[in-house]
Amino acid sequence: MAAVAQVPSPSLSPSPVPAAPSPAPAAPVAATPAPPVPPPAAPPGPPAPAALPGPFPGGRVVRLHPVILASIVDSFERRNEGAARVIGTLLGTVDKLSVEVTNCFSVPHNESEDEVAVDMEFAKNMYELHKKVSPSEIILGWYATGHDITEHSVLIHEYYSREAHNPIHLTVDTSLQNGRMSIKAYVSAPMGVPGKTMGVMFTPLTVKYVYYDTERIGVDLIMKTCLSPNRVIGLSSDLQQVGAASARIQDTLSTVLQYAEDVLSGKVAADNTVGRFLMDLINQVPKISPEDFETMLNSNINDLLMVTYLANLTQSQIALNEKLLSL
């Protein structure tokens, strides 16, 4: 369902830019044909950042990484005393098929019933610093905590419309209105009668969650806290992680073997797509004899134990040296 908000008198107006004077008409001059002279080659500069095209790409889908949600919740927990919500800038990448939000940062602001003040200079400086680390990330829009779109949201969205074409507005319900954290994304479109009072319509987008392999580790660890009574869980050791990964692989192999046996016995119809995936999986397994594999595994384990022993020995030596120096 689209959210509609009426545009109030803007409090965040850009600085006026003087209009360029119109050039005087040139007198007609008889042109003499001359051989074309190629212009001097300009030095190559940095590529211009991609703009968020319109209409919205990727089937109106926003791909959101879990680090965005963690950063938004953290900024909400660290907000100033008396602040009802926090806002910030969304960064990411755009291509022809998707819009992917990969980073964000909070922006200081103050809100009252009559006006809203946003630290624009801070937002620009933070974006310049982010460009030095990740030049490919551009401004995609902004986020705000809360479950609704307010009149102040229209003013803030107007500012981000000057920074990015067709910006995204992401809302994160940190108050848990319906017992869960509602996450919604919108794009705006003007509506109304020309020459009369104009409004802005926020049209919802589809939000999908994606993650890198490194982010998956943190997500799995956070999900384990749901089973803990005090919502606290410690980090597992390397050996425990290897054991858990081996158990998951064993369960997956058992499922695959059961499926293959059911297909051979006629209990399940064969699927060509699954068969091709299984063939690709088998072809990726290196062909090595069990004796060579055992020798290689034992050699790697011995190397790991030696490195662990040397690291513990160095740590003990440093601790002993600190004790001797404190005497």
Side-chain angles (χ1 to χ4, degrees):
M1 182 176 181
V4 181
Q6 186 175 357
V7 180
S9 55
S11 302
L12 306 175
S13 57
S15 302
V17 180
S22 57
V29 179
T32 304
V37 178
L52 190 61
F56 200 81
R60 306 182 71 82
V61 174
V62 177
R63 305 182 189 277
L64 201 63
H65 282 255
V67 68
I68 304 300
L69 304 179
S71 179
I72 294 174
V73 172
D74 181 70
S75 62
F76 179 77
E77 292 294 330
R78 298 171 183 267
R79 69 189 185 279
N80 296 331
E81 185 178 358
R85 67 172 183 168
V86 295
I87 67 172
T89 302
L90 298 175
L91 304 176
T93 57
V94 180
D95 56 29
K96 295 181 180 179
L97 300 178
S98 65
V99 175
E100 192 166 344
V101 184
T102 56
N103 207 342
C104 68
F105 59 86
S106 60
V107 177
H109 84 296
N110 292 317
E111 286 188 71
S112 63
E113 295 182 357
D114 301 328
E115 61 181 3
V116 56
V118 181
D119 194 344
M120 307 296 189
E121 193 64 27
F122 177 87
K124 292 180 180 179
N125 293 336
M126 284 294 294
Y127 178 55
E128 292 296 329
L129 292 175
H130 273 78
K131 283 201 302 184
K132 294 181 179 180
V133 179
S134 302
S136 60
E137 291 182 346
I138 63 173
I139 295 178
L140 298 180
W142 66 290
Y143 70 83
T145 57
H147 65 283
D148 201 2
I149 297 176
T150 65
E151 291 184 352
H152 293 165
S153 299
V154 181
L155 292 176
I156 301 173
H157 198 80
E158 181 184 354
Y159 161 71
Y160 279 96
S161 297
R162 300 195 295 267
E163 299 295 327
H165 178 67
N166 202 7
I168 303 168
H169 177 34
L170 184 73
T171 60
V172 180
D173 184 12
T174 51
S175 61
L176 306 179
Q177 287 281 335
N178 299 322
R180 61 188 302 271
M181 183 180 293
S182 176
I183 301 168
K184 300 178 181 179
Y186 303 91
V187 288
S188 66
M191 64 172 297
V193 180
K196 303 294 182 180
T197 303
M198 296 294 292
V200 175
M201 180 177 65
F202 285 88
T203 306
L205 304 172
T206 302
V207 178
K208 290 187 177 181
Y209 305 101
V210 295
Y211 49 81
Y212 300 123
D213 293 338
T214 52
E215 294 176 328
R216 175 63 183 269
I217 299 174
V219 172
D220 291 341
L221 189 62
I222 292 174
M223 291 179 63
K224 291 181 181 179
T225 59
C226 299
L227 306 177
S228 177
N230 55 358
R231 300 290 183 177
V232 177
I233 189 171
L235 295 175
S236 57
S237 63
D238 294 342
L239 186 58
Q240 290 175 340
Q241 293 180 7
V242 172
S246 301
R248 288 195 298 268
I249 292 177
Q250 187 174 4
D251 293 340
T252 304
L253 289 176
S254 300
T255 304
V256 171
L257 289 175
Q258 184 63 40
Y259 172 79
E261 291 176 358
D262 291 343
V263 170
L264 293 176
S265 61
K267 296 180 181 179
V268 178
D271 191 338
N272 295 332
T273 304
V274 177
R276 283 193 291 268
F277 278 123
L278 292 177
M279 182 60 67
D280 292 339
L281 177 63
I282 294 174
N283 292 333
Q284 290 177 3
V285 177
K287 296 181 180 179
I288 184 172
S289 63
E291 294 79 9
D292 294 340
F293 178 78
E294 185 177 359
T295 302
M296 181 179 61
L297 179 61
N298 292 332
S299 177
N300 290 334
I301 290 178
N302 291 333
D303 293 342
L304 178 61
L305 292 176
M306 177 60 69
V307 172
T308 304
Y309 171 75
L310 293 176
N312 293 333
L313 181 62
T314 304
Q315 186 176 5
S316 302
Q317 189 72 18
I318 292 174
L320 180 61
N321 185 40
E322 291 178 352
K323 292 287 186 181
L324 294 176
L325 290 178
S326 62
L327 295 178

